[in-house]
Amino acid sequence: MRELRLAAETRRRAPAARHAENPLREGLRLERVPDPAAFVLFGATGDLAHRKVIPALYQLWRTHLLPHEFTVVAVGRRAFSDEAFRAELKASLDRFSRVQPVDPDEWDELASRIVYHRGDFGDPAAFAALAERLDRLDEDRRTRGNRLYYLATHPSAFAEIVAQLGRVGLDHERHDGGWRRVVIEKPFGRDTESAVRLNREVGKVFRERQVYRIDHYLGKETVRNLLVFRFGNGIFEPIWNRRHIDHVQITVAESIGVENRGSFYEETGASRDFLQNHLLQLLALVAMEPPTTFEADALRDEKVKVVRAITEATPEQARRDVVRGQYGPGWVAAQPVVGYRAEPEVDPASETETFIAARLTVDDWRWSGVPFYLRMGKRLPKRATEIAIQFKEVPHQLFRDSTTEPEANLLAMRIQPDEGIMLRFGAKVPGLGIDVRNVTMDFTYGSAFQSDSPDAYETLILDALLGDASLFTRADEVEEAWAIVDPILAAWAEMPAPDFPNYEAGTWGPEAADDLLAREGRRWRRI
């Protein structure tokens, strides 16, 4: 640890005019600092940039995981001087930084590396000026031609920005080693056709290895630990199959509503906002086969195989195995809240779903016959994301005389807010006779490691700067995921919507979601 602290101090004290090579970091993958680079942030005046991206960059800088030769070029339509824009960022950081208070010295160092570039995304002259400015910054700040373009904009601007970058040659990687990468936020398309079209437009400018499609759920600590849990421990992999697992539940519960994003949600709904990306990504990580190596393409190859193996829903199956809901007025955290149709920018007669539950199956050797139950909803009683592996009952119940019949073994991985892993099993109560009760072994990151888990955006931005695409989505995976969702959307379009709203805010969704499991003798796990 002394060497790491010395390495961090060396970087901080390095003069701005030259790059500080640090031999103490050689071979330390987790402490490897990215190459010098310019971080070009499109949509820099927007909510995502202020809430997530800039706070993530600040934390990476504060913990000495960014290079000394690092520059942020913030691109937006509004008129700002560098100083005025930095002041706005500081105000946002004071609100949204996960570590408070903000260290003024660390912020001043990072702020001195932030410049603002005004330009309309449809204006070729603005991109020509951006190219010239980046070239000057390469010389002045020794960023070596390495550039990460981050598209924190409305999805409708993705194709235009990428095309403009290509027109002025900002995609071209230099022969002397200067790399170019682009990070694209979700949603990546709104159906298979639009996703294929967007992939084609991006592919005209950038090679696939340069494209990082970000899904922030994949940066969460427990999601990444799922891979270690499965493939780094010999006791679970032999039972991770249809012979021992009864079913899998994946829940993403949000207590908030649409948070003044009514117009956005009217276009997406829960199916496009969560099912196509977050939920299917988590399913793929649970169900995937062990990759041959822990490298990006090997890992993503196995995830794609899972998505391709998910049985495509027929119209009848979509009606039977998928439930949609919309919240009405109710109470959350002892506070009254309005229904979805009363939210700002929402159609008073909207048929957009804010809840979705689905029963999916993976038609392969490992998982044949094991149902995966997925659900996501807004205005539920609490914020929680969990993967629950329900094991089968023991084949012969020996302890029938027990006052409490023990439940089947359960493994639950909490992704948020209290990240950790819980294992439930039966144990004898001390005393005379045989009385079996359920007990749990509970592991939490905070208490086990006494350390603060990084935010998902910190992890993913650092990986993109390092060139590690393991936790990013590949083009074929995006298209295959849409192929699962499209038949569901098509079936809904041909049938009348449910009598919305069909669940009160502060409850666990419509009754039909409970019936989805009850008809097979199962129930949702109480979180």
Short mmCIF file of all heavy atoms in Angstrom, two decimals, residues 68-112:
data_model
loop_
_atom_site.label_atom_id
_atom_site.label_comp_id
_atom_site.label_asym_id
_atom_site.label_seq_id
_atom_site.Cartn_x
_atom_site.Cartn_y
_atom_site.Cartn_z
N HIS A 68 -2.50 12.40 -15.35
CA HIS A 68 -2.25 13.83 -15.17
C HIS A 68 -2.58 14.60 -16.44
O HIS A 68 -3.14 15.69 -16.40
CB HIS A 68 -0.79 14.05 -14.77
CG HIS A 68 -0.47 15.47 -14.42
ND1 HIS A 68 -0.05 16.39 -15.35
CD2 HIS A 68 -0.53 16.12 -13.22
CE1 HIS A 68 0.14 17.54 -14.75
NE2 HIS A 68 -0.13 17.41 -13.46
N GLU A 69 -2.27 14.01 -17.58
CA GLU A 69 -2.54 14.64 -18.88
C GLU A 69 -3.95 14.26 -19.32
O GLU A 69 -4.16 13.38 -20.17
CB GLU A 69 -1.50 14.19 -19.92
CG GLU A 69 -0.08 14.58 -19.58
CD GLU A 69 0.58 13.58 -18.63
OE1 GLU A 69 -0.11 12.63 -18.21
OE2 GLU A 69 1.76 13.75 -18.31
N PHE A 70 -4.94 14.88 -18.72
CA PHE A 70 -6.34 14.57 -18.97
C PHE A 70 -7.12 15.86 -19.15
O PHE A 70 -6.93 16.82 -18.39
CB PHE A 70 -6.91 13.78 -17.78
CG PHE A 70 -8.34 13.33 -17.97
CD1 PHE A 70 -8.63 12.25 -18.79
CD2 PHE A 70 -9.38 13.98 -17.32
CE1 PHE A 70 -9.94 11.83 -18.96
CE2 PHE A 70 -10.69 13.56 -17.48
CZ PHE A 70 -10.97 12.48 -18.31
N THR A 71 -7.96 15.89 -20.18
CA THR A 71 -8.75 17.08 -20.47
C THR A 71 -10.18 16.70 -20.78
O THR A 71 -10.42 15.71 -21.49
CB THR A 71 -8.15 17.84 -21.69
OG1 THR A 71 -6.87 18.35 -21.34
CG2 THR A 71 -9.04 19.01 -22.09
N VAL A 72 -11.11 17.47 -20.26
CA VAL A 72 -12.53 17.30 -20.59
C VAL A 72 -12.95 18.43 -21.50
O VAL A 72 -12.80 19.61 -21.16
CB VAL A 72 -13.41 17.30 -19.32
CG1 VAL A 72 -14.89 17.16 -19.69
CG2 VAL A 72 -12.99 16.18 -18.38
N VAL A 73 -13.47 18.08 -22.67
CA VAL A 73 -14.01 19.06 -23.60
C VAL A 73 -15.53 18.89 -23.59
O VAL A 73 -16.06 17.91 -24.10
CB VAL A 73 -13.45 18.87 -25.02
CG1 VAL A 73 -14.02 19.93 -25.96
CG2 VAL A 73 -11.93 18.92 -25.01
N ALA A 74 -16.21 19.83 -22.96
CA ALA A 74 -17.66 19.76 -22.81
C ALA A 74 -18.32 20.44 -24.00
O ALA A 74 -18.07 21.63 -24.26
CB ALA A 74 -18.08 20.43 -21.51
N VAL A 75 -19.17 19.71 -24.72
CA VAL A 75 -19.81 20.24 -25.93
C VAL A 75 -21.30 20.40 -25.67
O VAL A 75 -21.98 19.45 -25.24
CB VAL A 75 -19.59 19.30 -27.13
CG1 VAL A 75 -20.21 19.89 -28.39
CG2 VAL A 75 -18.10 19.03 -27.33
N GLY A 76 -21.81 21.61 -25.90
CA GLY A 76 -23.23 21.87 -25.71
C GLY A 76 -23.70 23.01 -26.59
O GLY A 76 -22.89 23.73 -27.18
N ARG A 77 -25.02 23.18 -26.66
CA ARG A 77 -25.59 24.21 -27.51
C ARG A 77 -25.63 25.59 -26.84
O ARG A 77 -25.61 26.61 -27.53
CB ARG A 77 -27.02 23.82 -27.92
CG ARG A 77 -27.12 22.57 -28.78
CD ARG A 77 -28.56 22.38 -29.26
NE ARG A 77 -28.71 21.23 -30.13
CZ ARG A 77 -29.10 20.04 -29.72
NH1 ARG A 77 -29.37 19.85 -28.44
NH2 ARG A 77 -29.22 19.04 -30.57
N ARG A 78 -25.70 25.62 -25.54
CA ARG A 78 -25.86 26.89 -24.82
C ARG A 78 -24.54 27.66 -24.76
O ARG A 78 -23.46 27.07 -24.87
CB ARG A 78 -26.39 26.63 -23.42
CG ARG A 78 -27.79 26.05 -23.41
CD ARG A 78 -28.13 25.39 -22.09
NE ARG A 78 -28.01 26.31 -20.97
CZ ARG A 78 -28.08 25.95 -19.69
NH1 ARG A 78 -28.26 24.68 -19.39
NH2 ARG A 78 -27.97 26.85 -18.73
N ALA A 79 -24.65 28.97 -24.59
CA ALA A 79 -23.47 29.84 -24.54
C ALA A 79 -22.90 29.86 -23.13
O ALA A 79 -23.61 30.23 -22.17
CB ALA A 79 -23.83 31.25 -25.00
N PHE A 80 -21.65 29.45 -22.98
CA PHE A 80 -20.96 29.47 -21.69
C PHE A 80 -19.51 29.84 -21.92
O PHE A 80 -18.90 29.43 -22.91
CB PHE A 80 -20.98 28.08 -21.04
CG PHE A 80 -22.22 27.75 -20.26
CD1 PHE A 80 -23.10 26.80 -20.75
CD2 PHE A 80 -22.50 28.36 -19.05
CE1 PHE A 80 -24.23 26.46 -20.04
CE2 PHE A 80 -23.63 28.03 -18.34
CZ PHE A 80 -24.50 27.08 -18.83
N SER A 81 -18.94 30.58 -20.98
CA SER A 81 -17.48 30.68 -20.92
C SER A 81 -16.99 29.47 -20.13
O SER A 81 -17.77 28.79 -19.45
CB SER A 81 -17.07 31.97 -20.20
OG SER A 81 -17.49 31.93 -18.85
N ASP A 82 -15.69 29.20 -20.21
CA ASP A 82 -15.14 28.08 -19.45
C ASP A 82 -15.42 28.26 -17.96
O ASP A 82 -15.83 27.31 -17.27
CB ASP A 82 -13.64 27.97 -19.68
CG ASP A 82 -13.30 27.49 -21.09
OD1 ASP A 82 -14.22 27.04 -21.79
OD2 ASP A 82 -12.11 27.58 -21.46
N GLU A 83 -15.24 29.48 -17.46
CA GLU A 83 -15.41 29.74 -16.03
C GLU A 83 -16.86 29.57 -15.59
O GLU A 83 -17.15 28.96 -14.54
CB GLU A 83 -14.92 31.15 -15.67
CG GLU A 83 -13.43 31.37 -15.82
CD GLU A 83 -12.97 31.47 -17.28
OE1 GLU A 83 -13.86 31.67 -18.15
OE2 GLU A 83 -11.77 31.31 -17.54
N ALA A 84 -17.80 30.06 -16.40
CA ALA A 84 -19.21 29.95 -16.04
C ALA A 84 -19.67 28.50 -16.06
O ALA A 84 -20.44 28.07 -15.19
CB ALA A 84 -20.05 30.79 -16.99
N PHE A 85 -19.16 27.74 -17.02
CA PHE A 85 -19.57 26.33 -17.10
C PHE A 85 -18.99 25.55 -15.92
O PHE A 85 -19.67 24.70 -15.33
CB PHE A 85 -19.11 25.72 -18.42
CG PHE A 85 -19.58 24.31 -18.60
CD1 PHE A 85 -20.93 24.03 -18.78
CD2 PHE A 85 -18.69 23.25 -18.58
CE1 PHE A 85 -21.37 22.73 -18.93
CE2 PHE A 85 -19.12 21.95 -18.73
CZ PHE A 85 -20.47 21.69 -18.91
N ARG A 86 -17.76 25.83 -15.56
CA ARG A 86 -17.16 25.14 -14.41
C ARG A 86 -17.94 25.44 -13.13
O ARG A 86 -18.11 24.58 -12.27
CB ARG A 86 -15.71 25.58 -14.25
CG ARG A 86 -14.78 25.08 -15.35
CD ARG A 86 -13.44 25.80 -15.29
NE ARG A 86 -12.59 25.46 -16.42
CZ ARG A 86 -11.52 26.15 -16.78
NH1 ARG A 86 -11.17 27.23 -16.08
NH2 ARG A 86 -10.80 25.78 -17.82
N ALA A 87 -18.44 26.68 -13.00
CA ALA A 87 -19.22 27.04 -11.83
C ALA A 87 -20.53 26.23 -11.77
O ALA A 87 -20.95 25.79 -10.70
CB ALA A 87 -19.52 28.54 -11.83
N GLU A 88 -21.16 26.03 -12.93
CA GLU A 88 -22.37 25.21 -12.97
C GLU A 88 -22.06 23.76 -12.59
O GLU A 88 -22.84 23.12 -11.87
CB GLU A 88 -23.00 25.27 -14.36
CG GLU A 88 -23.78 26.53 -14.64
CD GLU A 88 -25.10 26.24 -15.36
OE1 GLU A 88 -25.29 25.11 -15.83
OE2 GLU A 88 -25.94 27.15 -15.41
N LEU A 89 -20.96 23.25 -13.09
CA LEU A 89 -20.57 21.88 -12.75
C LEU A 89 -20.31 21.74 -11.25
O LEU A 89 -20.69 20.73 -10.64
CB LEU A 89 -19.33 21.46 -13.53
CG LEU A 89 -19.48 21.27 -15.04
CD1 LEU A 89 -18.17 20.78 -15.63
CD2 LEU A 89 -20.60 20.30 -15.38
N LYS A 90 -19.67 22.74 -10.67
CA LYS A 90 -19.39 22.69 -9.22
C LYS A 90 -20.69 22.64 -8.43
O LYS A 90 -20.82 21.89 -7.45
CB LYS A 90 -18.56 23.90 -8.81
CG LYS A 90 -18.27 23.98 -7.31
CD LYS A 90 -17.52 22.75 -6.81
CE LYS A 90 -16.91 22.95 -5.43
NZ LYS A 90 -17.89 23.31 -4.41
N ALA A 91 -21.68 23.43 -8.83
CA ALA A 91 -22.97 23.42 -8.14
C ALA A 91 -23.63 22.05 -8.24
O ALA A 91 -24.21 21.55 -7.26
CB ALA A 91 -23.88 24.51 -8.71
N SER A 92 -23.55 21.43 -9.43
CA SER A 92 -24.12 20.09 -9.60
C SER A 92 -23.35 19.06 -8.78
O SER A 92 -23.94 18.15 -8.18
CB SER A 92 -24.11 19.70 -11.07
OG SER A 92 -24.94 20.55 -11.83
N LEU A 93 -22.04 19.21 -8.73
CA LEU A 93 -21.21 18.27 -7.98
C LEU A 93 -21.54 18.33 -6.49
O LEU A 93 -21.58 17.30 -5.79
CB LEU A 93 -19.73 18.58 -8.23
CG LEU A 93 -18.72 17.49 -7.88
CD1 LEU A 93 -18.99 16.23 -8.69
CD2 LEU A 93 -17.31 17.99 -8.13
N ASP A 94 -21.79 19.53 -5.99
CA ASP A 94 -22.16 19.69 -4.58
C ASP A 94 -23.47 18.97 -4.27
O ASP A 94 -23.70 18.56 -3.13
CB ASP A 94 -22.28 21.17 -4.22
CG ASP A 94 -20.93 21.87 -4.15
OD1 ASP A 94 -19.92 21.17 -3.91
OD2 ASP A 94 -20.87 23.10 -4.33
N ARG A 95 -24.32 18.81 -5.28
CA ARG A 95 -25.61 18.11 -5.08
C ARG A 95 -25.48 16.60 -5.28
O ARG A 95 -26.07 15.82 -4.53
CB ARG A 95 -26.66 18.64 -6.06
CG ARG A 95 -27.14 20.05 -5.80
CD ARG A 95 -28.19 20.42 -6.84
NE ARG A 95 -29.34 19.52 -6.79
CZ ARG A 95 -30.25 19.42 -7.76
NH1 ARG A 95 -30.12 20.14 -8.87
NH2 ARG A 95 -31.28 18.59 -7.63
N PHE A 96 -24.71 16.19 -6.29
CA PHE A 96 -24.78 14.79 -6.74
C PHE A 96 -23.55 13.95 -6.44
O PHE A 96 -23.58 12.74 -6.66
CB PHE A 96 -25.06 14.75 -8.25
CG PHE A 96 -26.34 15.43 -8.64
CD1 PHE A 96 -26.34 16.48 -9.55
CD2 PHE A 96 -27.55 15.04 -8.09
CE1 PHE A 96 -27.51 17.11 -9.92
CE2 PHE A 96 -28.73 15.66 -8.46
CZ PHE A 96 -28.72 16.70 -9.37
N SER A 97 -22.46 14.53 -5.97
CA SER A 97 -21.29 13.72 -5.67
C SER A 97 -21.61 12.74 -4.56
O SER A 97 -22.23 13.10 -3.55
CB SER A 97 -20.13 14.61 -5.27
OG SER A 97 -19.02 13.82 -4.86
N ARG A 98 -21.19 11.48 -4.71
CA ARG A 98 -21.48 10.47 -3.68
C ARG A 98 -20.60 10.63 -2.46
O ARG A 98 -20.88 10.02 -1.42
CB ARG A 98 -21.34 9.06 -4.27
CG ARG A 98 -19.94 8.64 -4.63
CD ARG A 98 -19.91 7.22 -5.14
NE ARG A 98 -18.58 6.81 -5.55
CZ ARG A 98 -17.66 6.34 -4.72
NH1 ARG A 98 -17.93 6.20 -3.44
NH2 ARG A 98 -16.46 5.99 -5.17
N VAL A 99 -19.52 11.39 -2.57
CA VAL A 99 -18.65 11.67 -1.43
C VAL A 99 -18.72 13.16 -1.14
O VAL A 99 -18.36 13.98 -1.99
CB VAL A 99 -17.20 11.23 -1.70
CG1 VAL A 99 -16.30 11.62 -0.53
CG2 VAL A 99 -17.12 9.73 -1.95
N GLN A 100 -19.19 13.49 0.04
CA GLN A 100 -19.34 14.89 0.43
C GLN A 100 -18.51 15.17 1.69
O GLN A 100 -18.34 14.28 2.52
CB GLN A 100 -20.82 15.20 0.69
CG GLN A 100 -21.72 15.09 -0.53
CD GLN A 100 -21.53 16.22 -1.53
OE1 GLN A 100 -20.75 17.16 -1.29
NE2 GLN A 100 -22.22 16.12 -2.67
N PRO A 101 -18.02 16.38 1.85
CA PRO A 101 -18.09 17.48 0.90
C PRO A 101 -17.06 17.33 -0.23
O PRO A 101 -16.11 16.54 -0.10
CB PRO A 101 -17.75 18.70 1.76
CG PRO A 101 -16.84 18.14 2.82
CD PRO A 101 -17.35 16.77 3.12
N VAL A 102 -17.26 18.06 -1.29
CA VAL A 102 -16.32 18.03 -2.41
C VAL A 102 -15.02 18.70 -1.98
O VAL A 102 -15.02 19.79 -1.39
CB VAL A 102 -16.93 18.77 -3.62
CG1 VAL A 102 -15.90 18.90 -4.74
CG2 VAL A 102 -18.17 18.02 -4.12
N ASP A 103 -13.91 18.02 -2.24
CA ASP A 103 -12.59 18.55 -1.89
C ASP A 103 -12.26 19.71 -2.84
O ASP A 103 -12.12 19.50 -4.05
CB ASP A 103 -11.55 17.44 -2.03
CG ASP A 103 -10.17 17.88 -1.56
OD1 ASP A 103 -9.74 18.99 -1.92
OD2 ASP A 103 -9.52 17.10 -0.85
N PRO A 104 -12.14 20.93 -2.33
CA PRO A 104 -11.92 22.08 -3.22
C PRO A 104 -10.62 22.00 -4.01
O PRO A 104 -10.57 22.42 -5.17
CB PRO A 104 -11.94 23.28 -2.27
CG PRO A 104 -11.65 22.71 -0.91
CD PRO A 104 -12.22 21.33 -0.91
N ASP A 105 -9.57 21.45 -3.41
CA ASP A 105 -8.29 21.37 -4.12
C ASP A 105 -8.38 20.36 -5.27
O ASP A 105 -7.90 20.63 -6.38
CB ASP A 105 -7.17 20.97 -3.16
CG ASP A 105 -6.89 22.04 -2.12
OD1 ASP A 105 -7.15 23.23 -2.42
OD2 ASP A 105 -6.44 21.70 -1.01
N GLU A 106 -8.99 19.20 -4.99
CA GLU A 106 -9.13 18.19 -6.05
C GLU A 106 -10.02 18.73 -7.16
O GLU A 106 -9.74 18.52 -8.36
CB GLU A 106 -9.72 16.90 -5.49
CG GLU A 106 -8.84 16.19 -4.48
CD GLU A 106 -7.64 15.52 -5.13
OE1 GLU A 106 -7.51 15.57 -6.37
OE2 GLU A 106 -6.82 14.93 -4.40
N TRP A 107 -11.11 19.41 -6.80
CA TRP A 107 -11.99 19.95 -7.83
C TRP A 107 -11.28 21.02 -8.66
O TRP A 107 -11.42 21.05 -9.89
CB TRP A 107 -13.26 20.54 -7.22
CG TRP A 107 -14.03 21.37 -8.21
CD1 TRP A 107 -14.23 22.72 -8.19
CD2 TRP A 107 -14.63 20.91 -9.43
NE1 TRP A 107 -14.93 23.12 -9.30
CE2 TRP A 107 -15.19 22.02 -10.08
CE3 TRP A 107 -14.75 19.65 -10.02
CZ2 TRP A 107 -15.86 21.93 -11.30
CZ3 TRP A 107 -15.42 19.55 -11.24
CH2 TRP A 107 -15.97 20.68 -11.86
N ASP A 108 -10.52 21.88 -8.02
CA ASP A 108 -9.82 22.93 -8.77
C ASP A 108 -8.86 22.32 -9.79
O ASP A 108 -8.73 22.83 -10.91
CB ASP A 108 -9.07 23.85 -7.81
CG ASP A 108 -10.00 24.76 -7.02
OD1 ASP A 108 -11.18 24.89 -7.42
OD2 ASP A 108 -9.56 25.32 -6.00
N GLU A 109 -8.18 21.23 -9.38
CA GLU A 109 -7.26 20.58 -10.33
C GLU A 109 -8.01 20.02 -11.52
O GLU A 109 -7.57 20.16 -12.67
CB GLU A 109 -6.51 19.45 -9.61
CG GLU A 109 -5.32 19.90 -8.79
CD GLU A 109 -4.42 18.72 -8.46
OE1 GLU A 109 -4.13 17.92 -9.37
OE2 GLU A 109 -4.03 18.60 -7.29
N LEU A 110 -9.14 19.34 -11.26
CA LEU A 110 -9.92 18.79 -12.37
C LEU A 110 -10.55 19.90 -13.19
O LEU A 110 -10.54 19.85 -14.43
CB LEU A 110 -10.99 17.84 -11.84
CG LEU A 110 -11.91 17.22 -12.90
CD1 LEU A 110 -11.10 16.40 -13.90
CD2 LEU A 110 -12.98 16.35 -12.24
N ALA A 111 -11.11 20.92 -12.52
CA ALA A 111 -11.79 22.01 -13.23
C ALA A 111 -10.85 22.73 -14.19
O ALA A 111 -11.26 23.19 -15.26
CB ALA A 111 -12.38 23.00 -12.23
N SER A 112 -9.58 22.83 -13.82
CA SER A 112 -8.62 23.50 -14.69
C SER A 112 -8.41 22.73 -15.99
O SER A 112 -7.87 23.28 -16.97
CB SER A 112 -7.28 23.67 -13.97
OG SER A 112 -6.65 22.40 -13.77
#
